[in-house]
Amino acid sequence: MLVRLIYASRVASSVTRADVDAILACSQRNNARVGVTGALCFTGTMFLQCLEGGRQAVNEVYHRIAGDPRHRDPALLSFEEIVAREFGDWAMGYVGHTPDNRALFLKYCPHAEFDPYAMSAASVRALLAELLGVAQWRGK
Ligand SMILES: Cc1cc2nc3c(=O)[nH]c(=O)nc-3n(C[C@H](O)[C@H](O)[C@H](O)COP(=O)(O)O)c2cc1C
């Protein structure tokens, strides 16, 4: 059975762009092994991540991530059974928050600053779907 899990978290203060690159490299390696795909958004202060795959594999990866000291306050925004993957091409795709895509991040957000904690599950899913179409993805 396939599931999709989406969560938000706040970046630990010491985390640098190099740390995010290391997280991505590790994610791509591990996720490919267990059939998990998805996307990681990094805004500089927050993470928004989507994990897709078998229910047990997604649970295991999420619980490992949730205990990682490089972020805090992980909040589940959405967990659902799905018929098909949306991010099947990416062991872990990456999108940064740039001046170019700022409007897109805000499109689904009720606040002036991007705040995934304040967004509905439907808005988060719509944002990720739209980012999939237009953003610069890395880590195929
Ligand atoms: C925001 C964030 C997202 C992460 N995403 C993943 C992921 O998708 N897959 C993964 O295996 N590890 C991910 N990690 C890293 C895990 O927390 C953990 O460090 C890693 O899985 C350990 O792998 P290792 O045993 O191969 O060193 C993430 C960490 C953070 C902070």
Side-chain angles (χ1 to χ4, degrees), residues 1-5 53 55 78-84 125:
M1 177 202 300
L2 275 174
V3 300
R4 179 183 303 127
L5 181 157
R55 183 166 59 193
S78 170
F79 182 83
E80 59 180 342
E81 290 179 14
I82 53 172
V83 173
R125 283 194 298 266

Side-chain angles (χ1 to χ4, degrees), residues 88-111:
D89 279 351
W90 285 277
M92 189 45 61
Y94 171 76
V95 62
H97 186 254
T98 65
D100 285 351
N101 63 22
R102 185 182 146 79
L104 190 47
F105 272 89
L106 287 181
K107 177 173 172 183
Y108 297 100
C109 191
H111 298 160

Side-chain angles (χ1 to χ4, degrees), residues 4-5 15 23-24 48 58 76 87 93 108 125 128 130:
R4 179 183 303 127
L5 181 157
V15 166
I23 289 169
L24 277 172
L48 176 66
V58 167
L76 268 182
F87 299 91
Y108 297 100
R125 283 194 298 266
L128 286 168
E130 204 164 333

Side-chain angles (χ1 to χ4, degrees), residues 8-108:
S9 62
R10 296 182 210 283
V11 182
S13 54
S14 55
V15 166
T16 63
R17 190 48 234 262
D19 293 316
V20 176
D21 285 341
I23 289 169
L24 277 172
C26 166
S27 305
Q28 284 155 8
R29 205 173 47 240
N30 288 344
N31 295 357
R33 217 167 29 226
V34 295
V36 167
T37 52
L40 179 69
C41 301
F42 174 57
T43 70
T45 56
M46 311 236 192
F47 289 112
L48 176 66
Q49 189 173 25
C50 166
L51 299 165
E52 297 173 337
R55 183 166 59 193
Q56 189 177 339
V58 167
N59 265 287
E60 283 172 9
V61 172
Y62 175 69
H63 285 294
R64 199 166 66 233
I65 296 171
D68 193 311
R70 290 172 289 189
H71 63 169
R72 59 189 168 83
D73 306 337
L76 268 182
L77 304 183
S78 170
F79 182 83
E80 59 180 342
E81 290 179 14
I82 53 172
V83 173
R85 296 171 194 257
E86 196 140 9
F87 299 91
D89 279 351
W90 285 277
M92 189 45 61
Y94 171 76
V95 62
H97 186 254
T98 65
D100 285 351
N101 63 22
R102 185 182 146 79
L104 190 47
F105 272 89
L106 287 181
K107 177 173 172 183
Y108 297 100

